[in-house]
Amino acid sequence: MKIHEYQAKEILMRHGVPIPRFEIVTTPADARKAAEDIGRMVVVKAQVHVGGRGKAGGVKLAKTADEAEAHASNILGMDIKGLTVEKIMISDAVDIDREYYIGMIVDRQTKKPVYMVSEAGGIDIEQVANETPEKIHKLAINPVKGLSAADASTLAAKIESRPEVAAKVAEFITKLYDGFIGSDASLAEINPLVVTPDGEVWAVDAKMNIDDNALYRHPDIAEMRDPAGETDEVRKAREMGLSYVKLDGNVGCLVNGAGLAMTTMDVIQHYGGAPANFLDIGGSSSPDKVVTALEIITSDPNVRSILINIFGGITRCDDVARGLVQALEQTSIEIPIVVRLTGTNEDEARKILAKHQFVSATTMDEAVEKAVELAKQPA
Ligand code: GDP
Ligand code: MN
């Protein structure tokens, strides 16, 4: 789950990471008040789930409360990469001497949390990663032993040569690690970590993703979910207990079980097609779930055929069949639907479906070939 900058800062503050004082507001008038409260130069920052806000005009410095109010009225309602800005942060602006990058991810290759640090922080870190990757230093951390003081010092020394400042950076690195582990994050990024001319260190920006499977351990973080950060389809799928990921192809997929869904996508590719989505309706599937799944699939304008691949175990084929019929009664779906149902109650399912216009198939290969072929037909 993605969370906003202000939410990441709230979490990290609890772990002692130094965060400049901030307030969250939704109106220009409140932006003015917040700037007056802070009483110094502030930075006005869009709170949206995308990077590169600065470049998009979503981060502005304001010397006075008047300026803060003016920036707030520009930024509120602004569209940044398809997301509308509804909340802004008014943050105490810090003086910048240096901008570093500090990030942590769970790395699949090493199967460990990996720290990444760079002295070339700021808004162009992607460019640094592409053009001069040697400027990014990595260290895999043993998750059982945790981050040692030596690890933290080694990392800090890669980016900061002054011993007193390096000690503060090392302390920062330790606290960020605690925040990352303590909240079951899959990513935590501070870009920039600012060193002021006086040698203080601050997390000026913060980005965190939290492992969805660990949210049950963090009810406070689970509440941070912002529905505005999800597309309607993803939200609908999540609320119905479906796993849905949109992809770029044109064969819509409705499958039960993550493994079968992955396999179905592979077989589609094998037959020269491209899946429009991953969609797992889960183990026990009510007709409602199937209706919702079809609504989600058909709302994607790229979809040219729909492939329903059900291996009935706990999922009953007749339930899926009823859902299909119900969905077709509620909305007229023009897109051809290929159905392969096998397993629990398959005979009953066939009877339910017989009255309707489905392309039926008995094997997975046959079903996929048909769906791929139909997706190639002109609309
Ligand atoms: P991003 O563009 O979404 O990564 O937003 P950031 O919060 O990283 O801000 C982008 C840039 O704005 C930073 O790299 C800084 O150069 C500048 N900036 C952000 N906050 C401050 C601040 O408190 N003081 C100063 N002087 N500049 C800031
Ligand atoms: Mn940033």
Side-chain angles (χ1 to χ4, degrees):
M1 179 178 88
K2 287 184 185 175
I3 57 174
H4 286 296
E5 174 190 12
Y6 76 91
Q7 296 166 325
K9 285 182 169 177
E10 281 167 8
I11 293 173
L12 295 175
M13 246 179 330
R14 292 184 223 144
H15 293 272
V17 175
I19 309 280
R21 177 180 164 194
F22 68 84
E23 288 180 36
I24 293 297
V25 299
T26 55
T27 65
D30 285 345
R32 159 183 287 278
K33 272 187 227 143
E36 282 166 355
D37 285 351
I38 292 170
R40 315 188 323 152
M41 181 150 85
V42 295
V43 49
V44 181
K45 311 180 78 178
Q47 299 297 295
V48 278
H49 287 308
V50 289
R53 295 166 304 170
K55 281 187 179 164
V59 178
K60 295 279 184 206
L61 284 165
K63 292 198 194 71
T64 62
D66 273 346
E67 260 180 51
E69 184 174 359
H71 287 316
S73 60
N74 282 333
I75 295 174
L76 283 164
M78 183 186 263
D79 183 278
I80 300 183
K81 298 180 187 170
L83 294 174
T84 307
V85 181
E86 286 168 5
K87 286 183 193 151
I88 50 175
M89 172 186 284
I90 308 296
S91 172
D92 190 353
V94 300
D95 286 339
I96 299 183
D97 180 31
R98 311 217 175 144
E99 294 187 82
Y100 298 144
Y101 169 91
I102 293 206
M104 288 195 75
I105 51 157
V106 176
D107 180 51
R108 282 164 190 268
Q109 237 153 18
T110 53
K111 299 176 187 147
K112 287 175 184 165
V114 168
Y115 239 120
M116 294 170 294
V117 301
S118 177
E119 59 191 320
I123 56 180
D124 289 319
I125 192 69
E126 275 80 15
Q127 201 180 333
V128 175
N130 288 333
E131 293 170 11
T132 47
E134 69 280 2
K135 286 192 181 160
I136 299 178
H137 309 276
K138 295 185 183 176
L139 183 69
I141 311 297
N142 181 322
V144 178
K145 291 186 185 153
L147 181 89
S148 68
D151 290 337
S153 303
T154 305
L155 283 163
K158 299 274 190 210
I159 54 174
E160 175 57 61
S161 56
R162 295 165 293 177
E164 328 77 69
V165 183
K168 287 187 192 165
V169 173
E171 196 184 326
F172 187 111
I173 285 171
T174 304
K175 288 173 173 167
L176 180 65
Y177 183 82
D178 292 344
F180 178 89
I181 298 293
S183 53
D184 287 307
S186 52
L187 173 142
E189 239 181 12
I190 307 299
N191 186 32
L193 178 160
V194 162
V195 182
T196 68
D198 301 336
E200 290 171 22
V201 300
W202 293 102
V204 157
D205 191 7
K207 179 178 163 136
M208 284 177 95
N209 294 347
I210 310 295
D211 183 345
D212 285 313
N213 296 312
L215 281 174
Y216 75 97
R217 303 207 287 200
H218 309 281
D220 53 330
I221 300 178
E223 271 177 27
M224 292 179 175
R225 187 186 297 280
D226 180 359
E230 288 177 326
T231 62
D232 286 352
E233 285 69 38
V234 170
R235 182 188 41 76
K236 238 161 115 174
R238 185 174 50 73
E239 285 172 359
M240 192 46 99
L242 309 165
S243 309
Y244 171 75
V245 181
K246 184 173 164 10
L247 301 165
D248 298 330
N250 58 11
V251 181
C253 306
L254 189 161
V255 188
N256 70 312
L260 186 61
M262 297 295 280
T263 309
T264 305
M265 286 161 44
D266 284 347
V267 179
I268 289 173
Q269 303 265 9
H270 175 78
Y271 283 105
N277 63 275
F278 168 96
L279 195 156
D280 169 14
I281 57 168
S284 61
S285 284
S286 62
D288 278 355
K289 276 191 176 180
V290 177
V291 172
T292 307
L294 279 172
E295 278 169 11
I296 292 169
I297 292 172
T298 51
S299 69
D300 174 354
N302 294 334
V303 170
R304 306 301 289 277
S305 70
I306 298 173
L307 169 61
I308 297 178
N309 188 15
I310 302 294
F311 191 86
I314 300 169
T315 305
R316 290 167 34 185
C317 293
D318 58 317
D319 271 349
V320 175
R322 267 186 214 100
L324 278 172
V325 170
Q326 209 172 306
L328 288 192
E329 279 164 3
Q330 285 171 15
T331 48
S332 64
I333 299 175
E334 305 282 319
I335 305 160
I337 301 178
V338 180
V339 185
R340 182 240 180 180
L341 291 167
T342 183
T344 313
N345 295 356
E346 63 177 78
D347 291 337
E348 200 181 335
R350 287 217 183 86
K351 274 180 217 144
I352 296 168
L353 295 181
K355 296 164 231 141
H356 295 264
Q357 295 285 318
F358 296 106
V359 181
S360 66
T362 14
T363 68
M364 168 125 117
D365 284 88
E366 187 194 346
V368 171
E369 265 192 284
K370 283 182 174 170
V372 169
E373 199 47 48
L374 286 164
K376 286 182 189 155
Q377 309 287 316

